[in-house]
């Protein structure tokens, strides 16, 4: 991955209004060392992040990503982000974007152990080439997430629904899916309901109706799924958030993994069995997702 830009942010209080944040932003060499050895994001994964797609210099869906950063911060008892400061930092990072697709990451960590304040930084890099997944699709393996649908409400300390930096489990799930001959995983609850992929939302199509699992099920509310639902509703399709039985993934007329950087990757097989792919429709979805979106 080629890094293009990195900026360290000295977070200011969420209610501090300023006309200028320049003294709180420090550009650093994106290939150089940047974090202290006591950094809790590195030691414990104790922090949150967002990944935003940047297409031809346009940062996609800034406000939905900032809204989710605020939500994740609240779930993790991190200080509320100052949105004015983050908007300025995003704008600075966007200036380093090139043509084509880049990925911007916003990171907010609990900070250095025994340190006075959280740490935050923003990076910009070239996006990986996702064209193959978008056109040829992905095979998925369904994996038990190990908890039932009611766990997010019963055990909020699991931070389900927060986009935390603790992605080791998500990465392990992808490795497990690959060892089963698939490209990616889709998590299901122990009582048999569909959740999400380790780095993407899942959307199913039944006729003219598009369905995604409810975010209250302890999954991330995907900004790409939100944006896609608005697009589909504008085209006259029905959309809904539901409790989706895991078996629906194989019964759907079509299904996609969706995320800010990958965009729409059609699911072409579930646990080794082929499922239908609508290539032309997927191309339309990706044309929309690649267009400038706010
Ligand atoms: N679910 C998980 C676990 C993710 O990591 C992601 C994105 O990285 C998503 C869903 C999709 O979110 P978004 O569309 O906002 O990128």
């Amino acid at each position: 991955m080629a890094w293009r830009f990195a900026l360290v942010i000295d977070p200011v209080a969420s209610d501090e209004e300023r006309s200028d944040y320049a003294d709180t932003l420090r550009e650093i060499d994106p290939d150089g060392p940047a974090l202290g050895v006591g950094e809790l994001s590195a030691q414990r994964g104790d922090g949150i992040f967002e990944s935003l797609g940047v297409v031809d210099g346009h940062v996609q869906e800034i406000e939905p990503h900032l809204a989710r950063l605020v939500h994740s911060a609240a779930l993790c008892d991190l200080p509320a982000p100052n949105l004015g400061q983050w908007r300025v930092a995003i704008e600075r990072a966007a200036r380093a974007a090139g043509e084509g697709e880049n990925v911007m990451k916003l990171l907010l960590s609990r900070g250095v152990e025994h340190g006075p304040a959280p740490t935050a930084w923003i990076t910009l890099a070239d996006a990986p080439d996702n064209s193959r997944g978008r056109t040829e699709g992905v095979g998925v393996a369904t994996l038990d997430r190990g908890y039932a649908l009611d766990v997010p409400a019963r055990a909020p300390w699991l931070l389900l629904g927060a986009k935390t930096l603790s992605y080791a489990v998500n990465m392990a799930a992808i490795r497990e899916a690959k060892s089963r001959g698939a490209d990616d995983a889709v998590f299901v609850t122990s009582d048999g309901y569909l959740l999400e992929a380790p780095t993407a939302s899942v959307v199913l199509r039944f006729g003219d109706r598009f369905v995604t699992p409810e975010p209250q099920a302890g999954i991330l509310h995907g900004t790409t799924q939100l944006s896609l639902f608005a697009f589909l509703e504008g085209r006259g399709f029905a959309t809904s958030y539901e409790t989706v039985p895991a078996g629906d993934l194989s019964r759907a007329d079509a299904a996609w993994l969706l995320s800010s950087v990958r965009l729409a990757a059609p699911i072409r097989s579930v646990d080794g069995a082929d499922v239908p792919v609508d290539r032309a429709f997927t191309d339309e979805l990706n044309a929309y997702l690649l267009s400038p979106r706010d």
Side-chain angles (χ1 to χ4, degrees):
M1 182 184 259
W3 297 102
R4 287 179 165 268
F5 180 84
L7 189 71
V8 172
I9 301 167
D10 184 10
V12 299
S14 61
D15 57 356
E16 189 174 329
E17 281 182 35
R18 290 191 178 203
S19 54
D20 187 10
Y21 292 94
D23 62 318
T24 68
L25 308 175
R26 183 168 48 91
E27 196 174 326
I28 56 164
D29 174 1
D31 291 308
L35 300 177
V37 288
E39 177 54 50
L40 291 169
S41 58
Q43 289 199 16
R44 296 189 177 143
D46 195 355
I48 56 174
F49 76 109
E50 285 293 319
S51 294
L52 291 73
V54 185
V55 182
D56 294 332
H58 183 89
V59 189
Q60 305 281 45
E61 305 282 355
I62 294 174
E63 293 307 317
H65 279 286
L66 286 177
R68 194 169 61 191
L69 189 73
V70 168
H71 178 66
S72 297
L75 289 176
C76 296
D77 290 329
L78 283 163
N82 180 307
L83 296 183
Q85 185 183 32
W86 280 100
R87 288 188 192 106
V88 170
I90 290 168
E91 206 225 294
R92 279 271 295 271
R95 282 189 229 143
E99 277 189 14
E101 294 177 56
N102 292 167
V103 52
M104 186 183 291
K105 286 198 180 190
L106 322 181
L107 302 106
L108 175 61
S109 141
R110 184 123 3 232
V112 175
E113 197 165 14
H114 313 303
T119 40
W121 66 104
I122 190 164
T123 62
L124 185 82
D126 291 339
D129 182 7
N130 281 300
S131 49
R132 201 158 158 218
R134 287 175 199 162
T135 50
E136 290 175 26
V138 288
V140 299
T142 54
L143 296 184
D144 186 352
R145 191 77 169 90
Y147 54 73
L149 200 60
D150 66 345
V151 161
R154 277 198 294 121
W157 48 88
L158 294 181
L159 303 180
L160 303 168
K163 194 166 168 68
T164 74
L165 286 165
S166 315
Y167 261 51
V169 167
N170 304 42
M171 298 299 107
I174 294 174
R175 288 196 298 277
E176 173 65 25
K178 290 194 169 159
S179 77
R180 297 184 187 193
D183 303 300
D184 211 330
V186 170
F187 288 126
V188 299
T189 63
S190 53
D191 44 357
Y193 296 100
L194 210 56
L195 290 171
E196 62 185 345
T199 64
S201 311
V202 181
V203 167
L204 313 183
R205 178 178 190 171
F206 296 97
D208 286 343
R209 197 167 62 85
F210 290 78
V211 177
T212 196
E214 295 181 294
Q216 297 92 303
I219 58 177
L220 292 191
H221 195 173
T223 60
T224 319
Q225 169 268 310
L226 257 177
S227 174
L228 189 80
F229 270 22
F231 170 75
L232 292 168
E233 285 156 19
R235 301 253 318 248
F237 292 109
T239 63
S240 62
Y241 294 92
E242 293 179 14
T243 302
V244 185
D248 279 8
L249 191 56
S250 307
R251 285 191 284 272
D253 296 320
W256 294 267
L257 298 187
L258 289 172
S259 72
S260 299
V261 178
R262 155 191 346 224
L263 305 183
I267 295 179
R268 62 173 158 69
S269 68
V270 177
D271 296 328
D274 287 347
V275 293
V277 168
D278 186 339
R279 179 110 178 229
F281 190 69
T282 301
D283 288 347
E284 276 181 58
L285 301 185
N286 279 316
Y288 162 68
L289 293 171
L290 282 165
S291 68
R293 292 179 289 123
D294 289 314

